[in-house]
């Protein structure tokens, strides 16, 4: 990535957090939720159409992404217990 692209991202993130003296996290949470659900939708579509992506079936990609998400959630729960 070049520096101008990173600068645009930082300006966009700064714009999302600006509000009437208070930080608004709702647009950030909404954006991250949409981006997080997209791989599940994409891999389900691949499974239903018997398609493949990078020579992997939709079921394989769905299981791999699900394992990553579950391990992340498990790590955050474990971190809260410590």
């Amino acid at each position: 990535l070049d520096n101008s692209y990173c600068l645009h991202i930082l300006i966009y993130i700064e714009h999302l957090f600006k509000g009437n003296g208070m930080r608004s996290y709702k647009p950030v949470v909404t954006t991250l939720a949409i981006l997080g659900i997209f791989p599940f939708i994409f891999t389900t579509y691949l499974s239903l159409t018997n398609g493949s992506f990078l020579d992997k079936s939709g079921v394989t990609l769905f299981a791999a992404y699900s394992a990553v998400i579950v391990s992340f959630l498990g790590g955050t729960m474990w971190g809260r217990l410590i």
Side-chain angles (χ1 to χ4, degrees):
L1 297 174
D2 62 343
N3 289 337
S4 64
Y5 183 72
C6 293
L7 181 63
H8 288 294
I9 292 173
L10 290 174
I11 290 171
Y12 176 70
I13 291 172
E14 181 181 351
H15 174 71
L16 286 177
F17 284 111
K18 282 188 177 178
N20 299 324
M22 298 181 68
R23 293 180 180 216
S24 174
Y25 295 103
K26 189 172 182 177
V28 175
V29 171
T30 303
T31 302
L32 291 176
I34 291 169
L35 290 175
I37 200 74
F38 177 74
F40 286 114
I41 294 169
F42 179 67
T43 55
T44 301
Y45 171 77
L46 285 178
S47 297
L48 294 174
T49 60
N50 292 326
S52 65
F53 182 72
L54 299 175
D55 293 330
K56 303 291 182 193
S57 70
V59 174
T60 303
L61 293 172
F62 187 88
Y65 186 71
S66 297
V68 169
I69 296 300
V70 168
S71 65
F72 174 76
L73 291 175
T76 57
M77 294 175 128
W78 179 71
R80 289 183 66 192
L81 291 175
I82 291 182

XYZ file of all heavy atoms in Angstrom:
643
model
N 0.835 -1.188 0.000
C 0.000 0.000 0.000
C 0.877 1.247 0.000
O 1.851 1.328 0.728
C -0.885 0.035 1.244
C -1.907 -1.082 1.394
C -2.579 -0.971 2.739
C -2.903 -1.077 0.298
N 0.490 2.200 -0.789
C 1.246 3.444 -0.772
C 0.727 4.356 0.340
O -0.332 4.135 0.907
C 1.187 4.128 -2.135
C -0.225 4.523 -2.539
O -1.174 3.991 -1.943
O -0.372 5.346 -3.438
N 1.496 5.373 0.647
C 1.163 6.247 1.779
C -0.122 7.021 1.573
O -0.833 7.293 2.531
C 2.324 7.211 2.035
C 3.527 6.492 2.606
O 3.376 5.424 3.187
N 4.705 7.054 2.435
N -0.443 7.411 0.332
C -1.660 8.193 0.109
C -2.892 7.355 0.413
O -3.874 7.862 0.957
C -1.703 8.715 -1.324
O -1.782 7.641 -2.242
N -2.864 6.053 0.089
C -3.986 5.176 0.383
C -4.184 5.054 1.893
O -5.302 5.135 2.394
C -3.759 3.805 -0.247
C -4.900 2.857 -0.057
C -6.092 3.035 -0.745
C -4.801 1.785 0.819
C -7.149 2.171 -0.565
C -5.842 0.911 1.003
C -7.016 1.105 0.296
O -8.063 0.251 0.490
N -3.099 4.871 2.634
C -3.171 4.768 4.089
C -3.677 6.075 4.700
O -4.443 6.062 5.663
C -1.809 4.413 4.668
S -1.252 2.766 4.233
N -3.261 7.194 4.139
C -3.714 8.485 4.634
C -5.214 8.639 4.449
O -5.911 9.120 5.342
C -2.970 9.625 3.922
C -3.334 11.039 4.348
C -2.991 11.260 5.816
C -2.622 12.048 3.481
N -5.729 8.215 3.295
C -7.169 8.286 3.057
C -7.942 7.427 4.052
O -9.007 7.816 4.533
C -7.507 7.868 1.627
C -7.103 8.863 0.598
N -7.679 10.111 0.498
C -6.170 8.808 -0.373
C -7.121 10.777 -0.493
N -6.196 10.011 -1.040
N -7.405 6.256 4.369
C -8.056 5.385 5.349
C -8.069 6.044 6.718
O -9.088 6.040 7.419
C -7.357 4.014 5.397
C -7.592 3.265 4.096
C -7.842 3.193 6.588
C -6.824 1.982 3.977
N -6.954 6.635 7.117
C -6.887 7.298 8.422
C -7.842 8.489 8.495
O -8.489 8.706 9.520
C -5.459 7.753 8.711
C -4.458 6.634 8.979
C -3.053 7.196 9.113
C -4.844 5.845 10.205
N -7.941 9.251 7.413
C -8.872 10.386 7.386
C -10.305 9.882 7.493
O -11.128 10.458 8.209
C -8.656 11.235 6.117
C -7.316 11.968 6.208
C -9.798 12.225 5.915
C -6.902 12.656 4.932
N -10.625 8.788 6.794
C -11.968 8.221 6.863
C -12.295 7.753 8.278
O -13.380 8.007 8.796
C -12.092 7.061 5.874
C -13.411 6.352 5.947
C -14.577 6.967 5.499
C -13.507 5.071 6.477
C -15.787 6.317 5.577
C -14.715 4.410 6.554
C -15.852 5.037 6.095
O -17.049 4.399 6.168
N -11.342 7.062 8.922
C -11.565 6.586 10.288
C -11.731 7.761 11.244
O -12.599 7.755 12.116
C -10.416 5.661 10.728
C -10.476 4.360 9.932
C -10.462 5.386 12.223
C -9.296 3.454 10.136
N -10.921 8.793 11.070
C -11.046 9.987 11.912
C -12.408 10.635 11.708
O -13.043 11.074 12.669
C -9.938 10.973 11.574
C -9.971 12.233 12.419
C -8.866 13.216 12.036
O -7.991 12.857 11.238
O -8.900 14.340 12.557
N -12.882 10.669 10.475
C -14.191 11.249 10.178
C -15.307 10.455 10.854
O -16.283 11.029 11.333
C -14.410 11.294 8.664
C -15.777 11.742 8.260
N -16.192 13.044 8.406
C -16.824 11.074 7.737
C -17.439 13.148 7.983
N -17.838 11.962 7.573
N -15.174 9.117 10.901
C -16.196 8.293 11.536
C -16.315 8.580 13.028
O -17.402 8.515 13.592
C -15.879 6.806 11.334
C -16.116 6.237 9.951
C -15.679 4.780 9.919
C -17.562 6.361 9.540
N -15.188 8.890 13.674
C -15.206 9.097 15.120
C -15.551 10.525 15.526
O -15.779 10.784 16.694
C -13.859 8.708 15.726
C -13.673 7.233 15.817
C -12.752 6.590 15.025
C -14.433 6.485 16.693
C -12.571 5.222 15.108
C -14.265 5.117 16.781
C -13.335 4.492 15.986
N -15.563 11.443 14.556
C -15.895 12.821 14.927
C -17.399 12.954 15.115
O -18.188 12.453 14.347
C -15.422 13.796 13.850
C -13.952 14.055 13.915
C -13.562 15.167 12.979
C -12.081 15.441 13.148
N -11.626 16.465 12.235
N -17.767 13.637 16.116
C -19.168 13.883 16.408
C -19.253 15.113 17.281
O -18.273 15.772 17.548
N -20.359 15.415 17.790
C -20.573 16.602 18.602
C -19.820 16.513 19.931
O -20.410 16.526 20.994
C -22.065 16.804 18.860
C -22.817 17.000 17.575
O -22.300 17.610 16.648
N -24.022 16.473 17.501
N -18.525 16.419 19.867
C -17.726 16.329 21.077
C -17.668 14.933 21.657
O -16.951 14.675 22.597
N -18.441 14.014 21.105
C -18.458 12.642 21.588
C -18.101 11.716 20.436
O -18.349 12.008 19.285
C -19.840 12.275 22.132
C -20.258 13.112 23.319
S -21.858 12.631 23.934
C -21.501 11.039 24.583
N -17.529 10.588 20.759
C -17.174 9.619 19.729
C -18.368 8.719 19.431
O -19.011 8.223 20.333
C -15.990 8.778 20.180
C -14.748 9.580 20.302
C -13.617 8.723 20.746
N -12.436 9.561 20.853
C -11.237 9.160 20.562
N -11.031 7.933 20.166
N -10.222 9.965 20.680
N -18.622 8.538 18.162
C -19.696 7.654 17.743
C -19.084 6.382 17.160
O -18.415 6.426 16.140
C -20.567 8.348 16.700
O -21.513 7.446 16.200
N -19.327 5.263 17.819
C -18.771 3.996 17.377
C -19.733 3.226 16.481
O -19.358 2.224 15.899
C -18.401 3.126 18.580
C -17.295 3.727 19.396
C -17.548 4.376 20.594
C -15.990 3.652 18.952
C -16.529 4.929 21.331
C -14.959 4.200 19.685
C -15.241 4.839 20.872
O -14.218 5.383 21.594
N -20.967 3.676 16.365
C -21.970 2.936 15.611
C -21.585 2.710 14.154
O -21.718 1.589 13.654
C -23.325 3.632 15.714
C -24.439 2.808 15.153
C -25.787 3.420 15.434
C -26.871 2.514 14.899
N -28.188 3.007 15.198
N -21.090 3.717 13.411
C -20.705 3.448 12.019
C -19.559 2.440 11.904
O -19.542 1.627 10.987
C -20.273 4.811 11.483
C -20.833 5.813 12.416
C -20.968 5.129 13.736
N -18.642 2.482 12.832
C -17.512 1.550 12.804
C -17.994 0.135 13.082
O -17.615 -0.817 12.386
C -16.427 1.970 13.814
C -15.310 0.947 13.869
C -15.888 3.332 13.475
N -18.834 -0.027 14.078
C -19.358 -1.341 14.429
C -20.181 -1.908 13.275
O -20.060 -3.082 12.928
C -20.194 -1.265 15.723
C -20.933 -2.557 15.984
C -19.313 -0.902 16.897
N -21.000 -1.076 12.661
C -21.814 -1.517 11.533
C -20.941 -1.955 10.366
O -21.174 -3.004 9.755
C -22.767 -0.395 11.085
O -23.566 0.000 12.200
C -23.656 -0.849 9.957
N -19.925 -1.175 10.048
C -19.022 -1.514 8.949
C -18.294 -2.826 9.222
O -18.213 -3.695 8.352
C -17.999 -0.385 8.726
O -18.696 0.830 8.463
C -17.074 -0.695 7.572
N -17.777 -2.998 10.423
C -17.063 -4.230 10.763
C -17.992 -5.443 10.766
O -17.589 -6.531 10.364
C -16.368 -4.086 12.111
C -15.197 -3.108 12.145
C -14.663 -2.977 13.563
C -14.096 -3.538 11.193
N -19.227 -5.254 11.198
C -20.189 -6.362 11.196
C -20.500 -6.806 9.769
O -20.557 -8.012 9.481
C -21.468 -5.950 11.914
N -20.687 -5.851 8.883
C -20.975 -6.185 7.480
C -19.775 -6.889 6.852
O -19.927 -7.894 6.152
C -21.364 -4.923 6.696
C -22.725 -4.431 7.171
C -21.389 -5.192 5.192
C -23.094 -3.057 6.656
N -18.580 -6.380 7.102
C -17.381 -7.006 6.550
C -17.144 -8.394 7.150
O -16.607 -9.276 6.489
C -16.161 -6.115 6.788
C -16.126 -4.820 5.985
C -14.928 -3.976 6.415
C -16.084 -5.099 4.502
N -17.551 -8.599 8.392
C -17.360 -9.890 9.043
C -18.332 -10.954 8.572
O -18.012 -12.143 8.576
N -19.516 -10.547 8.154
C -20.521 -11.519 7.701
C -20.346 -11.875 6.231
O -20.792 -12.928 5.780
C -21.952 -11.001 7.988
C -22.958 -12.141 7.988
C -22.379 -9.977 6.981
C -22.901 -13.002 9.190
N -19.650 -11.026 5.477
C -19.481 -11.263 4.040
C -18.828 -12.610 3.714
O -19.317 -13.324 2.820
C -18.693 -10.117 3.391
C -18.420 -10.338 1.943
C -19.433 -10.210 1.013
C -17.160 -10.708 1.510
C -19.202 -10.438 -0.330
C -16.905 -10.939 0.173
C -17.926 -10.800 -0.759
N -17.749 -13.033 4.393
C -17.169 -14.346 4.066
C -18.140 -15.505 4.288
O -18.114 -16.489 3.542
C -15.970 -14.463 4.999
C -15.601 -13.057 5.288
C -16.896 -12.308 5.339
N -19.004 -15.411 5.293
C -19.992 -16.470 5.509
C -20.979 -16.532 4.354
O -21.343 -17.612 3.886
C -20.739 -16.250 6.833
C -19.915 -16.572 8.040
C -19.549 -15.565 8.917
C -19.506 -17.855 8.304
C -18.792 -15.854 10.035
C -18.748 -18.166 9.419
C -18.390 -17.153 10.287
N -21.414 -15.377 3.889
C -22.356 -15.336 2.759
C -21.680 -15.865 1.495
O -22.266 -16.658 0.743
C -22.885 -13.900 2.557
C -23.725 -13.487 3.754
C -23.689 -13.789 1.268
C -24.083 -12.021 3.779
N -20.450 -15.440 1.251
C -19.722 -15.856 0.057
C -19.471 -17.363 0.044
O -19.688 -18.028 -0.977
C -18.395 -15.086 -0.036
C -17.558 -15.460 -1.216
C -17.975 -15.160 -2.503
C -16.351 -16.109 -1.044
C -17.204 -15.510 -3.598
C -15.573 -16.460 -2.129
C -16.006 -16.159 -3.405
N -19.036 -17.917 1.172
C -18.751 -19.350 1.205
C -20.039 -20.183 1.142
O -20.032 -21.272 0.562
C -17.939 -19.723 2.455
O -18.632 -19.284 3.629
C -16.559 -19.108 2.411
N -21.127 -19.670 1.694
C -22.409 -20.358 1.565
C -22.854 -20.381 0.110
O -23.333 -21.402 -0.394
C -23.478 -19.679 2.443
O -23.039 -19.700 3.798
C -24.813 -20.387 2.326
N -22.674 -19.257 -0.580
C -22.995 -19.192 -2.007
C -22.157 -20.204 -2.791
O -22.681 -20.910 -3.656
C -22.763 -17.775 -2.534
C -22.860 -17.671 -4.031
C -24.102 -17.675 -4.658
C -21.719 -17.591 -4.819
C -24.201 -17.594 -6.037
C -21.801 -17.512 -6.198
C -23.046 -17.512 -6.799
O -23.139 -17.436 -8.165
N -20.858 -20.278 -2.494
C -20.003 -21.248 -3.176
C -20.465 -22.679 -2.905
O -20.442 -23.529 -3.801
C -18.548 -21.092 -2.731
C -17.785 -19.904 -3.276
C -16.372 -19.882 -2.699
C -17.722 -19.925 -4.786
N -20.886 -22.954 -1.685
C -21.351 -24.295 -1.339
C -22.621 -24.654 -2.098
O -22.759 -25.778 -2.596
C -21.618 -24.398 0.156
O -20.443 -24.198 0.877
N -23.538 -23.714 -2.194
C -24.812 -23.981 -2.864
C -24.658 -24.121 -4.371
O -25.443 -24.828 -5.017
C -25.819 -22.883 -2.537
C -26.250 -22.807 -1.079
C -27.142 -21.588 -0.849
C -26.960 -24.080 -0.664
N -23.673 -23.453 -4.947
C -23.476 -23.514 -6.399
C -22.375 -24.490 -6.788
O -22.024 -24.580 -7.970
C -23.128 -22.123 -6.943
O -21.922 -21.653 -6.335
C -24.261 -21.136 -6.718
N -21.837 -25.222 -5.826
C -20.720 -26.152 -6.061
C -19.536 -25.452 -6.711
O -18.824 -26.031 -7.521
C -21.166 -27.352 -6.901
C -22.124 -28.244 -6.173
O -22.022 -28.397 -4.956
N -23.080 -28.807 -6.885
N -19.321 -24.212 -6.348
C -18.203 -23.439 -6.874
C -16.958 -23.632 -6.032
O -16.971 -24.306 -4.996
N -15.876 -23.041 -6.508
C -14.633 -23.094 -5.751
C -13.931 -21.750 -5.854
O -14.190 -20.972 -6.766
C -13.722 -24.201 -6.275
O -13.320 -23.923 -7.597
N -13.067 -21.502 -4.894
C -12.279 -20.274 -4.855
C -10.878 -20.665 -4.422
O -10.712 -21.297 -3.376
C -12.902 -19.263 -3.886
C -12.194 -17.953 -3.815
C -12.270 -17.057 -4.858
C -11.438 -17.622 -2.708
C -11.615 -15.844 -4.801
C -10.790 -16.417 -2.636
C -10.873 -15.525 -3.686
N -9.895 -20.338 -5.228
C -8.502 -20.746 -4.983
C -8.391 -22.263 -4.842
O -7.699 -22.778 -3.965
C -7.937 -20.041 -3.746
C -7.879 -18.521 -3.787
C -7.421 -17.965 -2.452
C -6.958 -18.056 -4.898
N -9.130 -22.971 -5.684
C -9.156 -24.442 -5.706
C -9.634 -25.062 -4.395
O -9.285 -26.189 -4.071
C -7.782 -25.015 -6.073
C -7.390 -24.698 -7.499
O -8.304 -24.577 -8.346
O -6.187 -24.578 -7.762
N -10.408 -24.333 -3.627
C -10.996 -24.857 -2.391
C -12.512 -24.762 -2.508
O -13.052 -23.780 -3.008
C -10.544 -24.062 -1.157
C -9.051 -24.014 -0.969
C -8.505 -25.357 -0.583
C -7.012 -25.247 -0.368
N -6.378 -26.519 -0.288
N -13.207 -25.774 -2.014
C -14.666 -25.757 -2.072
C -15.233 -24.778 -1.053
O -14.549 -24.353 -0.110
C -15.219 -27.156 -1.803
O -15.018 -27.507 -0.454
N -16.490 -24.443 -1.237
C -17.153 -23.531 -0.313
C -17.221 -24.082 1.098
O -17.077 -23.349 2.079
N -17.429 -25.395 1.216
C -17.515 -26.028 2.537
C -16.178 -25.924 3.263
O -16.120 -25.612 4.458
C -17.965 -27.500 2.407
C -17.919 -28.211 3.739
C -19.356 -27.575 1.803
N -15.097 -26.153 2.545
C -13.759 -26.071 3.149
C -13.459 -24.648 3.606
O -12.954 -24.440 4.716
C -12.687 -26.535 2.141
O -12.992 -27.856 1.728
C -11.300 -26.483 2.750
N -13.776 -23.683 2.754
C -13.531 -22.283 3.122
C -14.409 -21.850 4.291
O -13.957 -21.132 5.187
C -13.773 -21.376 1.916
C -12.786 -21.532 0.761
C -13.249 -20.736 -0.446
C -11.401 -21.107 1.188
N -15.680 -22.317 4.295
C -16.589 -21.988 5.392
C -16.057 -22.545 6.709
O -16.050 -21.850 7.731
C -17.985 -22.551 5.100
C -19.032 -22.138 6.086
C -19.744 -20.969 5.899
C -19.305 -22.905 7.209
C -20.716 -20.574 6.805
C -20.259 -22.520 8.119
C -20.977 -21.350 7.919
N -15.598 -23.798 6.688
C -15.070 -24.422 7.908
C -13.805 -23.717 8.382
O -13.629 -23.493 9.593
C -14.791 -25.899 7.656
N -12.935 -23.334 7.452
C -11.688 -22.664 7.836
C -11.972 -21.294 8.436
O -11.405 -20.930 9.481
C -10.774 -22.534 6.623
N -12.844 -20.512 7.800
C -13.161 -19.184 8.324
C -13.882 -19.297 9.662
O -13.622 -18.523 10.582
C -14.008 -18.398 7.315
C -14.245 -16.977 7.741
C -13.209 -16.053 7.732
C -15.494 -16.550 8.160
C -13.415 -14.736 8.135
C -15.710 -15.247 8.561
C -14.672 -14.345 8.538
O -14.881 -13.057 8.943
N -14.778 -20.264 9.774
C -15.486 -20.466 11.045
C -14.516 -20.822 12.163
O -14.662 -20.347 13.293
C -16.528 -21.576 10.899
O -17.498 -21.214 9.954
N -13.514 -21.647 11.855
C -12.523 -22.016 12.862
C -11.729 -20.798 13.323
O -11.439 -20.649 14.519
C -11.578 -23.077 12.303
N -11.405 -19.915 12.404
C -10.676 -18.691 12.762
C -11.532 -17.815 13.671
O -11.057 -17.302 14.695
C -10.243 -17.917 11.496
C -9.735 -16.530 11.836
C -9.197 -18.698 10.736
N -12.794 -17.649 13.326
C -13.697 -16.806 14.126
C -13.913 -17.413 15.510
O -13.868 -16.709 16.526
C -15.043 -16.595 13.391
C -14.824 -15.817 12.100
C -16.054 -15.888 14.282
C -14.208 -14.441 12.278
N -14.147 -18.718 15.573
C -14.370 -19.372 16.872
C -13.125 -19.285 17.750
O -13.223 -19.031 18.958
C -14.825 -20.837 16.669
C -14.773 -21.629 17.963
C -16.221 -20.865 16.097
N -11.949 -19.449 17.156
C -10.726 -19.344 17.962
C -10.516 -17.916 18.454
O -10.057 -17.698 19.576
C -9.511 -19.824 17.169
O -9.268 -18.977 16.071
N -10.865 -16.929 17.630
C -10.772 -15.539 18.065
C -11.731 -15.270 19.226
O -11.351 -14.650 20.229
C -11.068 -14.590 16.904
C -11.133 -13.160 17.312
C -9.978 -12.438 17.572
C -12.355 -12.518 17.454
C -10.033 -11.118 17.957
C -12.423 -11.192 17.832
C -11.258 -10.489 18.088
N -12.963 -15.726 19.092
C -13.939 -15.532 20.176
C -13.504 -16.247 21.444
O -13.660 -15.726 22.552
C -15.318 -16.012 19.732
C -15.994 -15.174 18.649
C -17.298 -15.835 18.221
C -16.240 -13.758 19.122
N -12.964 -17.450 21.293
C -12.458 -18.181 22.456
C -11.306 -17.452 23.122
O -11.193 -17.398 24.356
N -10.429 -16.858 22.318
C -9.307 -16.090 22.868
C -9.758 -14.863 23.625
O -9.195 -14.517 24.675
N -10.795 -14.192 23.114
C -11.280 -13.002 23.814
C -11.963 -13.391 25.133
O -11.803 -12.688 26.134
C -12.256 -12.185 22.953
O -13.349 -13.011 22.548
C -11.569 -11.620 21.738
N -12.670 -14.513 25.122
C -13.297 -14.965 26.382
C -12.235 -15.393 27.393
O -12.337 -15.097 28.572
C -14.270 -16.113 26.114
C -15.458 -15.711 25.308
S -16.439 -17.145 24.949
C -18.022 -16.572 25.514
N -11.228 -16.088 26.925
C -10.138 -16.523 27.800
C -9.409 -15.309 28.356
O -9.045 -15.278 29.535
C -9.198 -17.420 27.009
C -8.026 -17.903 27.788
C -8.024 -18.813 28.799
C -6.664 -17.475 27.632
N -6.757 -18.998 29.267
C -5.897 -18.190 28.577
C -6.026 -16.585 26.782
C -4.525 -18.023 28.693
C -4.662 -16.418 26.898
C -3.934 -17.137 27.842
N -9.194 -14.306 27.519
C -8.525 -13.078 27.969
C -9.313 -12.344 29.034
O -8.731 -11.720 29.926
N -10.635 -12.389 28.942
C -11.455 -11.716 29.963
C -11.403 -12.456 31.290
O -11.577 -11.850 32.350
C -12.904 -11.633 29.487
C -13.078 -10.633 28.336
C -14.498 -10.520 27.927
N -15.254 -9.924 29.009
C -16.568 -9.889 29.063
N -17.270 -10.419 28.099
N -17.187 -9.332 30.063
N -11.185 -13.770 31.252
C -11.154 -14.547 32.495
C -9.850 -14.400 33.248
O -9.798 -14.650 34.449
C -11.406 -16.035 32.187
C -12.806 -16.357 31.719
C -12.896 -17.834 31.326
C -13.824 -16.044 32.791
N -8.795 -14.025 32.548
C -7.485 -13.895 33.215
C -7.419 -12.659 34.063
O -7.894 -11.662 33.936
C -6.354 -13.916 32.180
C -6.269 -15.299 31.598
C -5.045 -13.488 32.779
C -5.155 -15.479 30.599
